Amino acid sequence: MGDTCCDNSTMGEIGRIIKDELPGIYVHSVKLGDSEGADRNAGFFGNLNTQVDRVCTELAEVDELKDTKVNLMGFSQGGLFLRALVQRCPSISARKLVTFGSPHSGVARIPECPSDGDVLCRWMRQLASRGVYSWYIRDHVIQAQYFKDPERIDQYLQYNIFLPDINNEVADKRESEYRDRIRQLEKMVLVRFSDDAMIYPSASSWFGFVDANGTETSLYDSLMYIEDWLGLRTLDESNRLEFVSLDGKHMAIGEQNLRDIVSKHFADDGDEDDVPGPARVPIIEPDIHQHVFKNGHRYT
């Protein structure tokens, strides 16, 4: 929310760190919109189904991404969107998916704004307060499209246009392809922040949530896991699902933590004969709020 694909102090810095850690690797940062302003707006307003389709089409035309498995790294809501891309986009062959503070099970409250001066975010929250399931809000406000009220699950399943689909929550509309594409991942890494107050519940980063009483629930207690709607149980039972906890607030990753994760999961540790084409390619989603690197600077 509020960031752009290529700003040198945000996604550009992330790309620099990845390239520094893995020399020679190609990094592609997802961009929505033809200008910096349009790209920023797309993090708040639009239709997620349309956005995912657009990104799928555009990535299919990137030469460096063709005929190779790619790694994907998503920040906050960007990780949720990249997972949707893995499930829906046949032109992307995903190797590993790493998400940081991503609301995979949705949010029970509209996310807080990274800063009081973020006009777009405040406007989004004002619109959402009028009713996330009203026809206009649900189709045009990004955060409403992964909002999940634990006290109104029936309305959520009926009216939310994005999250119930990609989480395979609607029994008669489940897509086996979504499950199969997740199962094909070599690894899914889910990073949660210990003091995350922006995403509620923070357990959503690990596919947990809260019940109607506000009690945190675990992925392992959910039908999603038990019945393997998304292939998460398959990943877990084959040691390909990893839960990581980082100390700090939402997106306070720290440069060394980022380097460690990149080195551990994106280094070329596979069989080259199985992966034709160029070097492994991280795709990173432009959605970072408050990354704190070891030099003490805060990027917002």
Side-chain angles (χ1 to χ4, degrees), residues 131-141 144-145 158-159 161:
V132 292
Y133 297 135
S134 64
W135 72 269
Y136 182 85
I137 303 302
R138 70 181 186 183
D139 290 350
H140 295 87
V141 175
Q145 292 161 38
Q158 181 176 359
Y159 296 117
I161 66 170

Side-chain angles (χ1 to χ4, degrees), residues 16-277:
R16 182 195 66 77
I17 291 172
I18 293 174
K19 291 178 180 179
D20 183 57
E21 196 66 27
L22 302 175
I25 202 165
Y26 174 81
V27 176
H28 179 92
S29 185
V30 173
K31 179 181 180 181
L32 279 169
D34 298 326
S35 66
E36 183 176 348
D39 195 38
R40 181 176 291 109
N41 290 345
F44 294 107
F45 305 108
N47 185 299
L48 279 173
N49 296 308
T50 302
Q51 290 185 358
V52 170
D53 288 346
R54 173 179 172 176
V55 171
C56 178
T57 299
E58 292 180 352
L59 292 182
E61 301 302 316
V62 179
D63 289 340
E64 291 85 353
L65 304 182
K66 295 178 180 178
D67 301 319
T68 188
K69 287 189 173 183
V70 299
N71 293 313
L72 301 101
M73 177 183 287
F75 301 92
S76 194
Q77 64 180 19
L80 174 64
F81 307 159
L82 281 184
R83 175 167 65 82
L85 188 75
V86 171
Q87 294 172 202
R88 290 182 175 179
C89 185
S91 60
I92 290 296
S93 180
R95 179 183 179 228
K96 296 181 180 179
L97 172 64
V98 179
T99 67
F100 294 86
S102 298
H104 288 291
S105 293
V107 293
R109 297 186 199 129
I110 294 298
E112 300 293 334
C113 295
S115 67
D116 293 337
D118 194 326
V119 176
L120 284 174
C121 185
R122 287 192 286 110
W123 185 22
M124 173 274 291
R125 287 182 58 83
Q126 289 173 5
L127 286 173
S129 69
R130 300 176 184 178
V132 292
Y133 297 135
S134 64
W135 72 269
Y136 182 85
I137 303 302
R138 70 181 186 183
D139 290 350
H140 295 87
V141 175
I142 295 297
Q143 289 68 31
Q145 292 161 38
Y146 58 86
F147 179 82
K148 182 177 182 178
D149 187 340
E151 298 182 13
R152 296 192 291 168
I153 293 297
D154 289 345
Q155 291 185 44
Y156 157 76
L157 293 174
Q158 181 176 359
Y159 296 117
N160 189 295
I161 66 170
F162 178 73
L163 190 65
D165 177 72
I166 67 161
N167 279 356
N168 263 345
E169 292 181 272
V170 183
D172 60 351
K173 295 182 180 180
R174 288 191 185 125
E175 296 283 350
S176 60
E177 293 178 349
Y178 291 178
R179 180 194 62 216
D180 294 343
R181 287 173 182 156
I182 292 296
R183 284 176 173 175
Q184 290 168 6
L185 289 170
E186 293 180 26
K187 194 87 171 184
M188 178 185 284
V189 181
L190 306 173
V191 180
R192 177 180 179 177
F193 297 92
S194 63
D195 299 320
D196 196 334
M198 181 176 289
I199 297 298
Y200 176 80
S202 64
S204 187
S205 300
W206 286 354
F207 281 94
F209 205 59
V210 289
D211 61 21
N213 297 318
T215 302
E216 184 174 306
T217 60
S218 167
L219 165 66
Y220 292 106
D221 297 324
S222 68
L223 286 177
M224 174 188 288
Y225 182 86
I226 295 169
E227 298 181 357
D228 209 19
W229 298 347
L230 278 181
L232 298 175
R233 181 172 178 175
T234 299
L235 289 184
D236 189 37
E237 291 178 343
S238 56
N239 297 315
R240 289 181 289 144
L241 182 63
E242 183 171 332
F243 301 91
V244 176
S245 179
L246 293 181
D247 292 336
K249 297 180 180 180
H250 184 70
M251 302 314 300
I253 300 172
E255 181 176 331
Q256 190 56 54
N257 285 329
L258 179 62
R259 287 181 178 274
D260 290 344
I261 289 171
V262 166
S263 178
K264 177 179 178 180
H265 295 292
F266 291 164
D268 192 1
D269 56 358
D271 185 347
E272 283 299 324
D273 294 335
D274 294 334
V275 187

